Amino acid sequence: EKIRASGYIKPLVINRNYVLVSGHRRYHCALSLGKKVIDVEVYKGDDDKELEMLLNENAFRDKTTLQKVREAEFYRKIEEKKAEERRNFMGLQNLGQSSEVDLNPPLEEKGKVRDIVGAKIGLSGKVYDKARKVVNRIDNETEEVIKFLFEETLNENIEAASKLIDKPDEFLQLIIERTDRDIKKVSSIVRELEHEEKINETQLPPGKYQVIYADLTNQNIEEDFYQLPISELGEDNSVLFLWVT
């Protein structure tokens, strides 16, 4: 409607082979308005920059988390190359070998590659790293049902998906069975299964007690005791005595 009202379309960008690099939506608007001629600019830069333009053009379309992370791999290669160029430039400056022209390179994003790439797909660098590991797990998975679990969980909750990476296949199969493929239940089912595992590992006595006496002199309180399901043993009104050094 804006284009119809003003009659102006910002020029499209094409490469040397007449492939549309930027402006796909403007192009389709022009077609729907019956235009036969439209202005373009010809991009004659390097291939990496062209790829980045294509990615940026596609950035506003609705995508799943999996699609975003896969797309981010292209950004990652571009940013790693830029980071290498920055390091080389700084090295030349330190050696006093850069020319006057190079003393003021064009301003570019700086920082960790993962943070720059994460920001481009709307994630923090730390979360992007987790999502990337999940995608790597998906690509190495042969069981379709487990691959489905990772893909759908990643699209729903990155944190939940990252916690599944190191789980054995038996554990993952149990999640699939108990959730009945309802991905929203994954986080709660994982907590249930981990709780059950902890009870089995600690070999706590059966039953409920009003008084519990625990000797922790040979345990790391932070790592071990806090993980013990003591609440499984205690009555609603009970007392816990801790013997500690």
Side-chain angles (χ1 to χ4, degrees), residues 210-226:
Q210 290 182 322
V211 178
I212 303 170
Y213 178 89
D215 181 353
L216 303 177
T217 54
N218 294 318
Q219 296 192 59
N220 182 312
I221 293 177
E222 288 284 345
E223 295 181 5
D224 296 324
F225 177 66
Y226 287 164

Side-chain angles (χ1 to χ4, degrees), residues 59 61-73 75 117 120-123 128 155:
R61 295 174 184 165
D62 289 334
K63 293 182 283 287
T64 65
T65 301
L66 178 60
Q67 289 172 326
K68 289 179 182 178
V69 177
R70 289 202 185 284
E71 187 176 278
E73 281 304 297
Y75 278 124
V117 175
K120 289 182 182 294
I121 60 171
L123 301 174
Y128 163 61
N155 291 333

Side-chain angles (χ1 to χ4, degrees), residues 60-162:
F60 298 102
R61 295 174 184 165
D62 289 334
K63 293 182 283 287
T64 65
T65 301
L66 178 60
Q67 289 172 326
K68 289 179 182 178
V69 177
R70 289 202 185 284
E71 187 176 278
E73 281 304 297
F74 295 103
Y75 278 124
R76 190 180 186 90
K77 290 174 183 176
I78 293 169
E79 293 303 328
E80 284 175 346
K81 186 174 181 180
K82 288 181 182 178
E84 182 64 26
E85 290 172 354
R86 287 196 296 270
R87 286 192 292 270
N88 291 339
F89 175 78
M90 293 304 297
L92 289 173
Q93 273 198 323
N94 292 336
L95 292 172
Q97 294 179 7
S98 56
S99 67
E100 291 183 9
V101 176
D102 289 336
L103 286 177
N104 293 299
L107 291 174
E108 292 183 345
E109 294 172 287
K110 295 183 180 179
K112 287 185 177 180
V113 167
R114 74 167 196 181
D115 296 328
I116 296 172
V117 175
K120 289 182 182 294
I121 60 171
L123 301 174
S124 70
K126 187 176 181 180
V127 173
Y128 163 61
D129 255 0
K130 290 182 178 181
R132 189 166 179 255
K133 289 175 182 176
V134 175
V135 173
N136 185 58
R137 176 72 169 77
I138 291 170
D139 291 341
N140 288 294
E141 180 55 55
T142 56
E143 290 285 339
E144 287 301 320
V145 67
I146 293 179
K147 187 177 290 190
F148 167 84
L149 172 66
F150 275 106
E151 289 177 355
E152 295 302 311
T153 305
L154 177 65
N155 291 333
E156 179 70 26
N157 187 324
I158 295 173
E159 191 67 34
S162 70

